[in-house]
Amino acid sequence: MKFQIEVDHSRIVVEEGQTLLAALRQHGFKVPTLCHMNQFSPTGACRLCVVEVEGKRDLITSCSYPVEPGMKIKTNSQRVMRARKSLVELLISNHPDDCLYCERNGNCELQWLAEDMNVKERKYFRQKSAYFPDNSSSSVFRDPAKCVVCSRCVRVCEEVQLVTAIDFIGRGTRTKVNSAFHKGLNVSSCINCGQCIMVCPTGALLDISHLERVQAALDNPQKKVMFFVSPSVVSSLADYYATKPSVNMAAAIASVLKKAGAYKVFDLGLGCDLNIHEEAILLMERIEKGKQLPLISSDCPSWIKYVEEFRDDLIPYVSPVKSPQQIFGSLLKDHFTEKENLRADKVFNVSVVPCVAKKFEASREEMTHKGISEVDAVLTVRELIRLIRALGLDLRNIQEENFDSPFDQSSAAAWKMGYAGGKAEAIAQEVFTALNTNSREVFKFNLPKNISAKKETRIQVNGKTIGFAWVSGISEAEAYLRQLQQENRNDIHYLEVAGCPLGCVGGGGQPIYHNATARNRKKIAQDMEKLTVLKRASENPAIDEIYSSIKSVPAKGKSCELFHTQYLRRHVLK
């Protein structure tokens, strides 16, 4: 039912059941918040969204109060403005004065609120709480001194990722966010997904930066620094810089990295193609044997860590194929160094990806051999943007340079790996092509029309029906897997799991700014797919050259040694 309410002497039409905040924002009224997140139940914790309602004695939180017929609301009365300003001043009273060198300077919601509320000086003084930063994790840096106790990180960690690596401890003014038993994140149940970083309004949560070690390697004449750039990074920067279609963003990124001093810059899309090709072979082998199905994707390090910590019963079903990052790192440190007559310990591999969990993955013990890591450093999209700014370069006006051969091209399948459902389609296409003996059969990968429907489909090939499914976000993955088990279903043969909502386009290493949406990046990636000449992973000529060079076949011998790994149960504080 629709009805009208009065807001700041104007009448607007609202729907029964809407919260005041949703109705106000829908009609263009700006109401500040810190704790509110779309698609989450409201908490009213920050109190910044208060409004004045005629007939109510107290100010009410618009995020948790429903609209009512006949309401008369004031969103910017003096009483409301004073209340909001006082709340911001109280938050600032216990906040560090290090804005000039804070990573979120200029992109901090507390800063924006202070400017909007016309806060010019520190009004309240108190002895600041003694907090100590936690840099124990290989991916996530936590600075409790900058925490405003908004609850966003806690809710994402608990409700979306089902991990609860951090939670509230203490009461009243002593309330703070911490990990279990006040221990570091490195021994907690954190899966390093970085979703807490994406929702944090201040600099309380950041990624562990590898920028300094990369710059040190670039300055070292003894090191050969090789970058490999994920296709997802290309679509992210195209979205961030809002470039025209005429700008070849991949070539612009390659040019920037070469100007920074890179020895080689490669396309990580080849690693994606190899990952897809290996998993497709493995899937066909398991279907033939009828064992350990469904085959579950292994390219997301957050998902792998979750399985090791919480669902070790799934380890036999998880693909042993390494992620594209580790495949490429292994390829460079072994095959490429031998071919180019280079020493592996003098090569410094840098992966550029939209994921902070890749930093943890690069540090895993099984990814280091005889003291030499497959990947030495990982830069997120945010770090790459900072590097570009530090170099004083403009990506939109730079002389373009192509990726270096022999790893300079990838297929459309590599772009598909950037968003949920894309890899499942790429694997299905590989399987269909390999098994199809009927020239009249056409590959069809039908996506569900209803966005809330089960994300699964089936392909028909040679009289066989092969089921594919995809999920993103740990809560969605857990719910789907439990459903398969409870219903005793065996019609799904391959399951793609992305730890971050919507996949890598919503990764924890993506830029944090207003109007940034994963759907924009997904659309750019899909547009790039259409422009790519090679459509399937196995069409990439470099793949056959690699297998020929290492004298191996997919999923056998040397390729297993380079491109496969294993996972074990992980014991952590929960």
Side-chain angles (χ1 to χ4, degrees):
M1 184 180 73
K2 294 185 177 182
F3 52 86
Q4 289 189 341
I5 62 174
E6 184 180 304
V7 182
D8 295 337
H9 310 293
S10 300
R11 300 197 71 79
I12 64 171
V13 178
V14 298
E15 290 188 15
E16 185 178 10
Q18 267 190 312
T19 62
L20 267 174
L21 180 64
L24 291 170
R25 287 185 169 177
Q26 183 181 345
H27 288 84
F29 292 93
K30 185 178 179 181
V31 180
T33 61
L34 268 180
C35 67
H36 178 74
M37 292 189 291
N38 293 329
Q39 300 175 346
F40 284 78
S41 58
T43 61
C46 70
R47 320 301 292 179
L48 282 166
C49 66
V50 292
V51 294
E52 190 173 355
V53 178
E54 189 174 291
K56 303 287 184 183
R57 185 186 66 178
D58 299 323
L59 299 177
I60 63 171
T61 50
S62 61
C63 71
S64 58
Y65 201 90
V67 292
E68 295 174 351
M71 269 185 158
K72 292 185 178 180
I73 301 164
K74 295 179 182 178
T75 65
N76 55 10
S77 66
Q78 285 301 306
R79 183 185 178 194
V80 169
M81 299 299 283
R82 282 197 301 270
R84 290 176 183 167
K85 185 174 182 179
S86 294
L87 285 167
V88 173
E89 287 172 336
L90 286 168
L91 288 172
I92 290 173
S93 70
N94 195 39
H95 203 78
D97 295 320
D98 63 352
C99 292
L100 285 176
Y101 45 91
C102 175
E103 189 175 312
R104 291 292 295 271
N105 184 29
N107 192 25
C108 169
E109 292 184 40
L110 186 59
Q111 262 188 349
W112 296 341
L113 287 169
E115 184 179 356
D116 291 345
M117 306 296 171
N118 199 31
V119 177
K120 298 294 185 183
E121 59 185 355
R122 187 181 291 276
K123 187 174 181 180
Y124 301 106
F125 294 87
R126 54 168 287 185
Q127 184 176 357
K128 294 183 180 179
S129 305
Y131 295 125
F132 301 97
D134 176 11
N135 57 5
S136 61
S137 168
S138 54
S139 298
V140 181
F141 172 78
R142 199 170 59 83
D143 188 352
K146 295 177 182 177
C147 179
V148 293
V149 200
C150 67
S151 80
R152 288 188 193 174
C153 59
V154 172
R155 299 194 68 188
V156 164
C157 194
E158 180 180 352
E159 297 177 35
V160 177
Q161 303 300 67
L162 304 180
V163 174
T164 319
I166 49 178
D167 208 342
F168 293 115
I169 61 170
R171 301 177 65 183
T173 58
R174 296 178 183 270
T175 302
K176 60 182 179 179
V177 175
N178 209 337
S179 49
F181 304 107
H182 303 274
K183 301 293 184 181
L185 284 176
N186 62 322
V187 293
S188 74
S189 57
C190 175
I191 59 173
N192 306 100
C193 65
Q195 289 303 302
C196 55
I197 299 173
M198 298 302 292
V199 297
C200 181
T202 64
L205 287 161
L206 303 167
D207 47 324
I208 297 289
S209 178
H210 287 185
L211 196 54
E212 290 76 14
R213 69 171 74 169
V214 170
Q215 289 174 319
L218 288 168
D219 287 339
N220 186 347
Q222 302 298 318
K223 293 288 185 181
K224 302 291 186 184
V225 183
M226 301 187 194
F227 289 85
F228 34 100
V229 183
S230 167
S232 295
V233 172
V234 178
S235 57
S236 298
L237 289 190
D239 176 55
Y240 181 80
Y241 288 105
T243 55
K244 297 177 181 178
S246 58
V247 176
N248 185 343
M249 184 52 69
I253 294 171
S255 179
V256 164
L257 295 176
K258 288 177 182 180
K259 290 181 187 302
Y263 175 69
K264 297 285 184 181
V265 182
F266 297 122
D267 182 1
L268 182 53
L270 172 62
C272 299
D273 286 340
L274 278 165
N275 175 277
I276 291 166
H277 190 59
E278 288 274 330
E279 279 197 7
I281 299 292
L282 193 61
L283 175 59
M284 288 186 284
E285 288 178 357
R286 291 197 181 186
I287 289 173
E288 187 177 345
K289 295 176 182 177
K291 294 182 179 180
Q292 295 180 332
L293 292 170
L295 177 65
I296 303 175
S297 65
S298 59
D299 52 288
C300 176
S302 296
W303 164 244
I304 292 300
K305 194 160 188 263
Y306 177 83
V307 168
E308 290 178 323
E309 291 177 1
F310 296 93
R311 293 298 304 272
D312 57 291
D313 59 304
L314 295 175
I315 290 177
Y317 300 91
V318 174
S319 165
V321 181
K322 292 179 182 177
S323 72
Q325 169 181 284
Q326 298 306 133
I327 284 177
F328 211 96
S330 177
L331 190 65
L332 290 183
K333 286 289 178 84
D334 184 283
H335 165 69
F336 186 76
T337 53
E338 184 179 331
K339 187 177 178 181
E340 295 289 312
N341 197 27
L342 297 171
R343 284 178 52 183
D345 61 336
K346 297 298 182 182
V347 170
F348 192 89
N349 282 343
V350 183
S351 170
V352 186
V353 290
C355 173
V356 295
K358 294 292 185 184
K359 295 174 184 282
F360 162 75
E361 182 183 39
S363 69
R364 292 178 66 110
E365 289 183 11
E366 57 268 29
M367 304 303 176
T368 299
H369 312 282
K370 297 180 180 179
I372 299 175
S373 298
E374 294 172 349
V375 178
D376 300 287
V378 177
L379 295 184
T380 62
V381 183
R382 292 191 293 269
E383 289 174 289
L384 179 59
I385 291 170
R386 290 205 300 275
L387 177 62
I388 293 168
R389 288 171 56 190
L391 294 171
L393 299 172
D394 183 1
L395 231 61
R396 289 160 291 199
N397 296 289
I398 193 170
Q399 185 176 353
E400 299 172 355
E401 296 186 52
N402 293 325
F403 287 123
D404 292 306
S405 62
F407 311 131
D408 56 348
Q409 62 178 333
S410 56
S411 71
W415 292 97
K416 291 181 186 294
M417 283 193 71
Y419 56 86
K423 184 179 181 183
E425 183 179 357
I427 295 282
Q429 198 169 12
E430 288 292 311
V431 171
F432 178 86
T433 304
L435 297 180
N436 183 30
T437 57
N438 185 353
S439 59
R440 293 184 179 181
E441 279 192 311
V442 179
F443 175 72
K444 291 181 180 179
F445 193 84
N446 298 318
L447 301 176
K449 294 180 180 179
N450 186 350
I451 195 170
S452 61
K454 291 180 182 177
K455 298 177 178 66
E456 56 185 47
T457 191
R458 289 156 186 79
I459 64 170
Q460 303 290 334
V461 55
N462 281 0
K464 292 182 180 179
T465 301
I466 304 176
F468 294 83
W470 57 96
V471 287
S472 61
I474 301 299
S475 57
E476 188 177 316
E478 188 65 71
Y480 186 77
L481 282 163
R482 292 199 182 281
Q483 181 190 15
L484 289 180
Q485 291 174 332
Q486 289 168 2
E487 297 177 1
N488 199 25
R489 291 175 57 187
N490 58 6
D491 59 326
I492 298 299
H493 302 85
Y494 183 82
L495 175 62
E496 175 199 337
V497 181
C500 295
L502 292 179
C504 295
V505 291
Q510 294 282 9
I512 303 171
Y513 61 99
H514 269 321
N515 302 321
T517 67
R519 298 192 188 279
N520 287 347
R521 303 180 193 119
K522 177 181 177 180
K523 184 180 182 304
I524 293 171
Q526 289 175 327
D527 289 341
M528 295 304 295
E529 282 176 42
K530 298 171 185 175
L531 298 174
T532 306
V533 176
L534 305 174
K535 298 303 179 185
R536 292 185 293 104
S538 56
E539 290 179 1
N540 192 333
I543 288 181
D544 288 337
E545 291 175 14
I546 289 168
Y547 285 122
S548 174
S549 180
I550 65 175
K551 299 178 181 178
S552 180
V553 294
K556 297 285 189 302
K558 182 71 172 179
S559 66
C560 278
E561 181 185 329
L562 289 178
F563 307 147
H564 290 210
T565 186
Q566 61 180 351
Y567 309 107
L568 301 171
R569 184 179 179 185
R570 188 179 294 269
H571 299 276
V572 293
L573 293 174
K574 299 177 183 177

